[in-house]
Amino acid sequence: MRTQVAIIGAGPAGLTLGRLLETAGIDAVIIEQRSADYVLGRIRAGVLEQSSVDLLRRMGVNQRMDAEGIVHDGVELSFDGDMLRIDFNELIGRRVMVYGQTEVTRDLMDARIASGAKSIYEASDVQIHDFAGETPRVSFTKDGQTHQINCDFVAGCDGFHGVSRASVPDQAISVFERVYPFGWLGVLVDQPPVAEELIYAHHERGFALCSMRSHSRSRYYVQVGATEKAQDWSDEMFWDELRARLNPDIAERLKTGPSIEKSIAPLRSFVAEPLRFGRLFLTGDAAHIVPPTGAKGLNMAIHDVTELATALNEFYGERSKAGIDAYSGKVLENTWRTERFSWWMTQLLHTFPDSGDFGRRIQRADFDYLGASRIAQQSLAENYTGFRP
Ligand code: APR
Ligand code: PHB
């Protein structure tokens, strides 16, 4: 089999890249190790920056998003119950769209099926060969048979645990990492959200987040220790802990019910450098991880593959290598800017076991500064809604 671009992974990064290349008339095959149902079973954050919304619209995968997504003008922050609303629209004239990542993935998958573009699911033992040269290959096993795809480029869109980054020799790549000593215990519930906007709450018992998937389905999180297990948390324990971390009036309004999903996600900041190795490119979670505070993971992945699609388009259209040569530098600039913001929101809002009373006073000072300074609020708004220089 032959294609121009072999895309490893059918998460949001791989599917978005597939759609962009298809629109540009560049042939691509997606190779995914899991089944489509498995991919759609993963529950992740759900806040889209305006630029992500615009891209989904340009790609023509916006029908359901525009019908079901909820536009938010701002977010609420809470510090030991004291509330502060950050009104993005009033501060900088921008908004975000709340629409689940799972739904974005489903829309992209449906569009790919409708267009007949090739995807191979349940491919095992995926291997990338000869990407240092001009003629890379991808091999994999499917239904007991080994297959090979010859291509011009390989796009590593296979997430943090994928084969793409792992295929790069150790001496060719540097990684920068911070693992946080806690995770987020998340619960999905068929109840209306407690508030119209998201609430990010700091409390001495730990962080909490009130989010939503629709007007009748809510998503809540509480910070828990890194070694805790979701099965040790009954629904009752979860709701009690969440209420304890919120402003009392909000806690009273909280509508609870049986959880329809409950899981723990660890928190990590991670960046690989560089992001291009000959004819192999890293994108999305294969290239970097942010903690979910700020909901940047999907938006970063969309940013990366937009850059990559532009670079590949330039290569095929104009026979220019300028775009692919600039890819790594451009994406890393956005990556580090977004890493800084996600790290900052994380350190403002969580309880850190080792930072003591001094650390908590600094967090309070940070929150009070935000409350007092319009410029500080604009900075938060600019980063949360997606800063593009
Ligand atoms: N071969 C083929 N596919 C693979 C392999 C492999 N060896 N390893 C992993 N994959 C697949 C995974 O099964 C998954 O479907 O690659 C896909 C990667 O998808 P994501 O992990 O969703 O990563 P990405 O597309 O970069 O999306 C980034 O999604 O993961 C969230 O929080 C993340 O919001 C961020 C966004
Ligand atoms: C979510 O809805 O799952 C969500 C929202 C905002 C975040 C993280 C997760 O920052």
Side-chain angles (χ1 to χ4, degrees), residues 44-47 184 198 200 209 211-213 219 221 292-295:
R44 275 142 179 196
V47 181
W184 281 14
L198 271 59
Y200 289 88
L209 171 61
S211 182
M212 63 195 71
R213 291 290 174 269
R219 180 75 167 157
Y221 298 93
T293 338

Side-chain angles (χ1 to χ4, degrees), residues 8-15 31-34 38-39 42 44-45 101 123 125-126 156-164 283-286 289-290 296-299 301:
I8 319 288
L15 288 164
I31 304 124
E32 162 64 50
Q33 69 176 3
R34 305 286 191 171
Y38 182 96
V39 172
R42 292 189 292 230
R44 275 142 179 196
Q101 180 172 320
D125 192 24
V126 177
C157 307
D158 49 352
F160 186 63
H161 301 287
V163 67
S164 300
T283 80
D285 277 17
I289 296 284
V290 282
K296 290 295 176 197
L298 172 62
N299 295 294

